[in-house]
């Protein structure tokens, strides 16, 4: 497949957030894949630590205004956008005051219950609902970071019969990330509200730590990429058990984007 539409959903992108392995790959890879002749769209959360003025974010009124129900509560979806001029790319930001106004990415405030489960659901669904509103049908959906680990589940269970997504292949990059302040175990009751069954997530064994979230991504993805040079063997073992294609760590040397592009093509066959 020569030209594809690739949707990138990432928990962090440089320069809007600090330089990390995930944020740099999420910034550089879409540009490199676009330069190979593909179309890309890129989404990340608009955390309160993202400086809107410095990065020239502005709200896209025609895309905003959807109300999403998370755990029986209405939350308005706000879409903002910024441009990376030299790359001829736009970054779409998922925003909502309830979930993303706070001056942190994931850290849980002692005064506030851990709601990273609802925040992750809102982010993933918000990105997918915006793609529907754009009427842009992706061939590949590539997720980066534990905060996106619900995306493959939602695509295969919640959006499985949606004509925008029912032919898309989901790829997840797994990284060595800190296993703290993640998603609370209330996640499972929130998933039931969206008609997920206990059987759908039985392999998580009631856990929401990094291992369980990685298994969730692997279980529902169509392909797995080793985003870090070393990732846990139990993750690759689980991918092999689930018969998922695996791309070994591609590095970031010249030409690395072609390894990703070829992997996308393999998944699409």
């Amino acid at each position: 497949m020569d030209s594809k539409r690739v949707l990138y959903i990432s928990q962090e992108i440089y320069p809007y957030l600090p330089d990390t392995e995930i944020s740099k790959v999420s910034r550089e890879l879409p540009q490199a894949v676009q330069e190979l002749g593909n179309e890309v769209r890129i989404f990340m959360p608009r955390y309160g630590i993202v400086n809107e003025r410095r990065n020239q974010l502005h709200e896209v009124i025609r895309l905003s205004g959807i109300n999403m129900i998370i755990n029986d509560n209405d939350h308005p979806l706000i879409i903002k956008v910024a441009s990376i001029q030299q790359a001829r790319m736009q970054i779409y930001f998922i925003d909502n005051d309830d979930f993303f106004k706070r001056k942190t990415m994931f850290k849980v405030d002692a005064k506030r219950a851990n709601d990273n489960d609802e925040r992750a659901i809102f982010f993933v669904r918000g990105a997918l609902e915006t793609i529907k509103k754009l009427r842009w049908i992706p061939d590949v959906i590539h997720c980066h970071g534990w905060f996106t680990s619900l995306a493959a589940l939602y695509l295969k269970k919640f959006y499985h019969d949606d004509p925008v997504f029912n032919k898309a292949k989901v790829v997840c990059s797994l990284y060595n990330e800190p296993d703290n302040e993640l998603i609370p175990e209330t996640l499972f009751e929130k998933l039931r509200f969206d008609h997920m069954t206990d059987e759908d997530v039985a392999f998580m064994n009631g856990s929401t730590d990094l291992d369980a979230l990685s298994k969730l991504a692997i279980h529902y993805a169509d392909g797995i990429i080793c985003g870090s040079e070393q990732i846990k063997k139990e993750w690759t073992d689980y991918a092999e058990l689930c018969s998922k294609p695996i791309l070994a760590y591609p590095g970031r040397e010249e030409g690395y984007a072609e390894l990703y592009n070829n992997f996308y093509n393999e998944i699409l066959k």
Side-chain angles (χ1 to χ4, degrees), residues 115-126:
D115 62 349
N116 280 334
D117 52 351
E118 295 187 16
R119 298 173 80 224
I121 292 169
F122 185 87
F123 171 51
V124 165
R125 284 186 52 195

Side-chain angles (χ1 to χ4, degrees), residues 25-269:
V25 168
S26 298
R27 161 63 184 87
E28 295 165 0
L29 178 62
Q31 179 179 350
V33 166
Q34 180 175 265
E35 288 170 356
L36 291 174
N38 303 294
E39 287 185 54
V40 304
R41 294 286 186 275
I42 313 159
F43 283 80
M44 69 170 282
R46 206 293 295 175
Y47 308 105
I49 55 174
V50 174
N51 189 309
E52 293 200 28
R53 183 178 298 176
R54 185 192 310 136
N55 293 299
Q56 300 183 319
L57 272 66
H58 62 272
E59 184 176 351
V60 185
I61 302 297
R62 69 185 179 89
L63 296 177
S64 300
I66 298 171
N67 264 39
M68 291 196 300
I69 300 175
I70 310 290
N71 196 35
D72 210 20
N73 292 310
D74 260 9
H75 299 279
L77 174 62
I78 300 166
I79 305 300
K80 295 176 179 174
V81 70
S83 296
I84 299 178
Q85 299 291 352
Q86 66 270 32
R88 297 182 180 177
M89 294 192 312
Q90 286 188 319
I91 311 293
Y92 292 89
F93 293 81
I94 299 297
D95 199 4
N96 171 274
D97 282 353
D98 296 331
F99 295 135
F100 296 114
K101 190 174 184 178
R102 63 196 75 164
K103 298 291 185 181
T104 179
M105 287 175 64
F106 312 124
K107 188 173 176 58
V108 178
D109 191 319
K111 299 175 184 176
R112 184 196 307 269
N114 185 345
D115 62 349
N116 280 334
D117 52 351
E118 295 187 16
R119 298 173 80 224
I121 292 169
F122 185 87
F123 171 51
V124 165
R125 284 186 52 195
L128 298 176
E129 291 294 337
T130 304
I131 284 294
K132 286 175 61 175
K133 206 160 186 180
L134 286 167
R135 297 179 182 176
W136 190 81
I137 300 176
D139 298 300
V140 175
I141 300 171
H142 189 169
C143 303
H144 298 263
W146 69 264
F147 201 59
T148 70
S149 58
L150 298 172
L153 169 68
Y154 269 83
L155 283 158
K156 296 300 171 69
K157 295 293 180 180
F158 192 84
Y159 293 98
H160 65 281
D161 58 355
D162 192 301
V164 173
F165 301 116
N166 61 8
K167 293 182 180 177
K169 299 298 183 182
V170 189
V171 173
C172 293
S173 283
L174 302 179
Y175 297 87
N176 281 328
E177 300 183 70
D179 189 1
N180 53 26
E181 308 285 13
L182 299 186
I183 290 179
E185 291 177 6
T186 49
L187 168 69
F188 299 108
E189 61 191 70
K190 313 293 168 61
L191 293 178
R192 287 186 207 109
F193 188 84
D194 284 342
H195 309 294
M196 315 289 181
T197 67
D198 291 345
E199 192 175 304
D200 292 334
V201 291
F203 54 88
M204 295 175 73
N205 296 316
S207 176
T208 53
D209 62 12
L210 186 59
D211 286 339
L213 293 174
S214 298
K215 285 179 73 175
L216 178 65
I218 292 164
H219 193 89
Y220 287 103
D222 297 294
I224 298 299
I225 295 174
C226 299
S228 298
E229 192 166 2
Q230 299 290 332
I231 65 169
K232 290 188 176 183
K233 185 176 184 295
E234 51 258 52
W235 299 353
T236 52
D237 286 349
Y238 190 70
E240 289 172 3
L241 181 68
C242 296
S243 302
K244 306 292 181 173
I246 305 172
L247 176 64
Y249 178 61
R252 284 163 62 190
E253 302 298 323
E254 186 175 350
Y256 80 106
E258 292 183 8
L259 297 174
Y260 285 91
N261 195 49
N262 292 339
F263 189 68
Y264 298 156
N265 289 339
E266 178 189 332
I267 297 293
L268 288 166
K269 284 180 183 175

